[in-house]
Amino acid sequence: MARNYSIYDVFTDRKLAGNPLAVVFDGDDLTDQAMQSIAAEFNLSETVFVQKSGNSVHATRIRIFTPARELPFAGHPTVGTAIALAEQAYGDQDGGLDLVSVLEENVGPVRCAVRLRPGEASFAEFDLPRTSSRYELPLDRQGIADALSLKVTAIGFENHVPAIWGAGVPFLLVPVHDIAAVESLEFDPQLWERTAPLCEGRLTPAYVYCRGGVHHAAKFHARMFSPDMGITEDPATGSAVAALSGAIWQFDGLPDGHHPLMVEQGVEMGRSSYIHLHIDVKDGAISRARIGGQAVRLAAGSLDL
């Protein structure tokens, strides 16, 4: 059976940048093992399998796999799949189009808005299925610094300290002083496995960030490493930015109101990615958060399976 797929570069408006994503459109009768094997074959950060939803309100069900395991939720697969499905259904129209749909993910329903414009990279934005929350686990700051090949004095800035946050997938967020420290770090997966705690039964990924960016509009600059997911380094991690929303709210003491931010990632890999984060604060707490970005199709084909 031929199963159609597309490759999209996500969180970018140009090809061969951002974070590549495989979207397999015919995933209904694939077993979990088959989907895991296909994801390992693509060997991208994530591969999505589109399936029919049992809920008529949901546009479709999607399953998200890294080369090593399934994820309940991830940002660039959500943005990329929402755009891929919209372009597949409406991409040949002459005028622009704004769409809203609900993708059914293992974390729960995720509401997505898609903007299609002729001659422009499509844009999608989704509401976080969960508000970011902090996991109170003991952390070894010296061990974290050693695993990143940094001095312990480089860890932390202003009120930001290492902490585990998650909005569907937990990450160990590691703030560092500046971009030079982020650029120069060398991640040691063996030391990380000895240092990082298990969270929800899994080794916590490393998400290293600092304030500022190479792009003039970037408020934060980041890198992500996850040995447990089979990802040496990720060019863009929407679920980590979802987790980061909680840290920004707490450590920066965000006042009530709307706070638009852009996070850049993948610069050191030559795959610059730009993730748009919107945080709404009401009565001193996050009332809503959204993540968005652009995506462009790079390739299309079929799997003979």
Side-chain angles (χ1 to χ4, degrees), residues 8-300:
Y8 274 77
D9 287 331
V10 184
F11 292 127
T12 181
D13 62 356
R14 60 187 180 88
K15 297 176 181 179
L16 304 178
N19 198 353
L21 171 75
V23 181
V24 179
F25 296 102
D26 311 296
D28 278 317
D29 60 344
L30 289 170
T31 65
D32 291 359
Q33 182 56 55
M35 287 186 281
Q36 186 63 76
S37 296
I38 293 169
E41 183 77 12
F42 276 118
N43 199 32
L44 302 176
S45 295
E46 281 103 2
T47 296
V48 167
F49 297 88
V50 177
Q51 300 177 336
K52 293 184 178 67
S53 171
N55 188 328
S56 60
V57 177
H58 300 163
T60 192
R61 170 167 164 71
I62 67 171
R63 304 277 298 276
I64 303 168
F65 287 79
T66 75
R69 66 180 177 95
E70 185 173 10
L71 296 178
F73 158 74
H76 105 276
T78 300
V79 167
T81 303
I83 288 173
L85 292 172
E87 289 186 349
Q88 186 183 59
Y90 305 103
D92 57 351
Q93 295 194 11
D94 293 333
L97 194 62
D98 295 314
L99 307 164
V100 176
S101 63
V102 177
L103 299 182
E104 181 182 314
E105 303 186 19
N106 285 355
V107 75
V110 180
R111 180 181 178 274
C112 305
V114 180
R115 183 177 69 227
L116 304 179
R117 296 290 185 271
E120 297 180 11
S122 298
F123 179 91
E125 184 179 67
F126 64 89
D127 295 324
L128 296 194
R130 297 179 187 171
T131 302
S132 178
S133 59
R134 187 172 179 176
Y135 295 74
E136 298 295 343
L137 293 172
L139 299 175
D140 177 1
R141 186 178 290 213
Q142 182 64 62
I144 291 170
D146 291 343
L148 299 175
S149 303
L150 295 174
K151 294 180 179 179
V152 71
T153 53
I155 305 296
F157 64 83
E158 301 164 17
N159 293 327
H160 288 248
V161 296
I164 297 175
W165 291 81
V169 178
F171 290 85
L172 202 173
L173 307 185
V174 184
V176 299
H177 279 186
D178 51 33
I179 290 179
V182 179
E183 290 176 341
S184 66
L185 72 85
E186 295 181 11
F187 182 74
D188 186 320
Q190 286 74 36
L191 287 180
W192 187 259
E193 288 175 11
R194 294 179 205 162
T195 300
L198 295 178
C199 193
E200 298 182 354
R202 298 283 188 176
L203 180 68
T204 313
Y207 187 74
V208 185
Y209 69 97
C210 67
R211 206 180 290 283
V214 176
H215 192 288
H216 71 277
K219 300 300 183 183
F220 292 92
H221 179 92
R223 298 176 72 179
M224 196 285 276
F225 309 88
S226 181
D228 181 70
M229 295 180 188
I231 300 171
T232 304
E233 182 171 358
D234 198 25
T237 317
S239 54
V241 174
L244 182 65
S245 66
I248 294 171
W249 162 75
Q250 182 176 91
F251 298 141
D252 284 351
L254 294 183
D256 283 6
H258 176 68
H259 304 274
L261 304 162
M262 189 174 82
V263 180
E264 68 179 19
Q265 190 178 333
V267 174
E268 291 79 8
M269 304 174 68
R271 299 194 66 95
S272 296
S273 304
Y274 304 105
I275 304 172
H276 296 268
L277 170 65
H278 294 261
I279 305 172
D280 294 325
V281 180
K282 183 178 181 181
D283 298 328
I286 296 177
S287 61
R288 183 188 182 197
R290 306 184 305 282
I291 284 177
Q294 294 173 291
V296 290
R297 192 175 75 165
L298 177 70

